[in-house]
Structure formats: structure tokens, C-alpha cells
Amino acid sequence: MITLLSAIFSVLGIIQFVLGNFANGFIALVNCIDWVKRQKISSTDGIVTAVAVSRIVLLYVMVIHWYLILLNPALYSLKVRTIVHVAWTISNHYSTWLATSLSIFYLLKIANFSSLTFLHLKLRVKSVVLMMLLGASFILVLQVVVISINEALQTNEYEGNTTQKTKLRDILHLLNVSLFTLTNFIPFTMSLTFFLLLIFSLCKHLRKMQLNGKGSQDPSTKVHIKVMQTVISFLFLFAIYILALILSVWNSNELQKEPVQMLYDVLLIMYPSIHSCILIWGNRKLTQAFLSFLWQPRCWLKERK
């Protein structure tokens, strides 16, 4: 039974890895080609491309971790574990915060509120996103510093005052947990807030359309709904991702069991893989490029006949 579960999880993990690499690679390729042709790139395309690149790195780090833990634990030394941890921290950080900044961008571009504060932020949307990413980068630097200090402590575990090192290790662990919470729960809370604001904006827009005697299927309503679908998919997948991370930390003893480790890995890899497919579906240019890509083999086969 365990062998069967391991085989199922392995197949699911490989499918998601291939799908995620294709989706993220496709996004980056289409936007980069468009960038070269036009000699410029929009803010939305730039953020989506950065998300795709960070997720490609994240997927490969996850697969390397999976390989080292399950197939070749002898290579998983302290130094290698630290390198993988740092690489995962950086790629996960930018994947999460860039996706959150995309939600901010959608909200400020699409929603309509009469608040002076909102209008001020709407006019300075690029500055808002940039400041948020800079603030998040400060948290990332702290995370990398904590990981590096923790590695140095474990390397010199038997040197110096053991009691002081134990206290310092406990402090570092508390810092690491706090930074992990900031890095993951703050973006989730922000995206949830943006989603609720989009719902409120849509309801306000629909009431306005009804008062003016217009239908509810106007372009603005369709844009609102499509963006909301993209944001809610991000929230759902990100919630699964965070839950899998928390369970993997709390149930560290259970991770010794191969199927449990593989289940967590499959849940983790869903977020950077499936959400990128949804980003393609939610972007008109990417959708058209994808349909054109699918049409090419059919045209080629017709020519061959």
C-alpha cells in the first residue's frame, strides 16, 4: 500500500512539475518576446514575468529537496541543506510577494472608490507596489541572516559555551518562525483584503448599472469578475501551500515516513504550478498566444496531409 501511495504521489508530483515549468516558461517567453518586439513592457506583464521566473526557480528547488530527502539522503549534508533552504526562502519570498503585488495592481487599476486615499494610491500604483516589494525585501534579508547564523551555530556545535548556544538557537528559531509568519500570512491577509474590496467595488458598480437602466454584462463587470476569479484561485492555492508548510513543520517526525513527505511535497508544488496556469487563462494576451500555440500542430498536420 505504501509503495502504491508513493508511486501515485510521485506521478502527481512529476505531472505538476512539468505543468508548472511549461506554464511559467510560457509566460516568461511570451512576455519577453513581446518586450523585445515593442521595446517596452507594461507593469502588469513585468510583474507576471517576474512571478513566472521566481516560480521556475522555486519548482526546481522543491524537486532538488525532494530528490535529496527521499532518493539520496547521503548528499543532504548541513551545508547542502542550508543552500537549499536559502534558495527556497528567496524564490518562495519573491513568488509570494510578487503575486500579492499583482493583486494590489489589479485592485488599484480596476476598482472604483471615491476615497481620496484610494485615488491617491491609484495614481501612484507603481510606487505603491515598489515600496511594498522593498519592504518585503528587508524581511528577506533578515531571514537569510538568521539561516546563515543558524548554520554557523550547527557547524560549531561542540565549540564554546553550549548553554549560550542553546539559548541563541532558541532565539533564532523564534525569529525564524516570526519571519516565516510575516512572509506568508501578511501577503495572504493583504490578498484577502483586496479580494473583499473587489467584491465591494463590483457590488457598487452593479448597483450603479441598475440605477442607470443598463445591463450587468458590461466590460467593467466582466473585468471585475475575471480578476476576482484570478485572486480567489491565488488565495485558495496559497492557503493550501501555507497549510502544507505548517503541517510539515509541526509533523517533523511524520516526515520520516515517505508517503507523508511526498504528500506534503505534492500539496506544496500545486501552488506555483496551477496558479500560473490560471494566470495564463486570466490574461487575454497569454490566452491568445496559448491558443495560437495549440493551433500550430494542427495546421502543420493539415499541411502534411
Side-chain angles (χ1 to χ4, degrees), residues 187-205:
F188 180 80
T189 305
M190 290 173 68
S191 295
L192 180 59
T193 304
F194 303 149
F195 176 68
L196 296 175
L197 287 173
L198 278 170
I199 292 177
F200 182 71
S201 174
L202 177 60
C203 292
K204 182 180 175 183
H205 174 73

Side-chain angles (χ1 to χ4, degrees), residues 17-34:
F17 174 74
V18 173
L19 182 65
N21 270 285
F22 173 79
N24 288 297
F26 181 80
I27 290 171
L29 182 63
V30 169
N31 284 333
C32 286
I33 290 174
D34 190 59

